Amino acid sequence: MLASLFDYVQNGIPIRFVYVKEMRLVDRAFVQQHYLPRVTRLRTNPVTLEFSEHTSSTKPRMQAYLQTVVKYNMLSHRWLLEGEPSFKDMMDGTAASTAGYQKLRNFCEVSRSEFVWSDTCCIDKRSSSELHELIQSMFK
């Protein structure tokens, strides 16, 4: 089950998120560590024991199950003409001074999720490999 978690986090979710509790960007490694205790507890749950054998027949069910455990919300929104918090703003700690920061905070509050993803601030647009991975994931 732990191998399935690691595989899902590395290949099935975006590269980074806003961690709502602290309004800061976190990467997949953070998300993985965050959910590790929950998944570890699931290993002893009789309902999930059937997933403990990692076979080709259980892999799709395990992946579907992990999608119910590793939760996040994606922000769908209209961009402001200017002032959306960017990746750089989030990393520099200056996002709160942007015009769109309150919109992001409101979304985080309404989402009731521990992690949210927004295209304006969770993508490092300077990284061609990150952009490539993002575009490829849209067609999975």
Side-chain angles (χ1 to χ4, degrees):
M1 182 174 277
L2 295 180
S4 295
L5 171 67
F6 299 148
D7 181 58
Y8 177 67
V9 167
Q10 291 305 310
N11 300 303
I13 66 173
I15 294 171
R16 71 184 58 79
F17 296 92
V18 174
Y19 180 44
V20 173
K21 185 176 181 179
E22 299 175 8
M23 286 303 291
R24 68 178 175 97
L25 290 180
V26 296
D27 60 11
R28 288 174 176 153
F30 182 94
V31 173
Q32 184 172 298
Q33 289 302 310
H34 181 80
Y35 284 108
L36 189 60
R38 293 180 203 182
V39 173
T40 301
R41 282 192 305 270
L42 293 174
R43 292 172 64 193
T44 59
N45 182 330
V47 174
T48 59
L49 279 178
E50 67 179 286
F51 296 127
S52 63
E53 292 295 320
H54 193 69
T55 66
S56 60
S57 64
T58 62
K59 187 174 180 176
R61 289 185 298 152
M62 172 59 80
Q63 196 120 61
Y65 185 73
L66 284 171
Q67 289 174 355
T68 68
V69 175
V70 180
K71 295 181 180 183
Y72 62 91
N73 288 319
M74 299 179 101
L75 173 60
S76 176
H77 63 108
R78 284 185 23 201
W79 286 15
L80 300 173
L81 293 176
E82 59 182 54
E84 291 287 350
S86 68
F87 172 79
K88 183 179 182 314
D89 296 329
M90 293 295 285
M91 296 304 291
D92 292 348
T94 60
S97 66
T98 63
Y101 185 73
Q102 190 57 48
K103 180 174 70 170
L104 178 63
R105 283 197 61 88
N106 290 344
F107 168 68
C108 289
E109 289 173 22
V110 171
S111 76
R112 296 200 170 137
S113 180
E114 294 176 285
F115 299 97
V116 300
W117 184 89
S118 173
D119 57 352
T120 58
C121 65
C122 292
I123 303 169
D124 182 358
K125 295 169 186 75
R126 300 169 300 170
S127 169
S128 60
S129 63
E130 187 168 322
L131 289 170
H132 177 75
E133 180 179 340
L134 177 67
I135 291 166
Q136 292 300 314
S137 71
M138 291 178 187
F139 296 101
K140 284 184 180 179

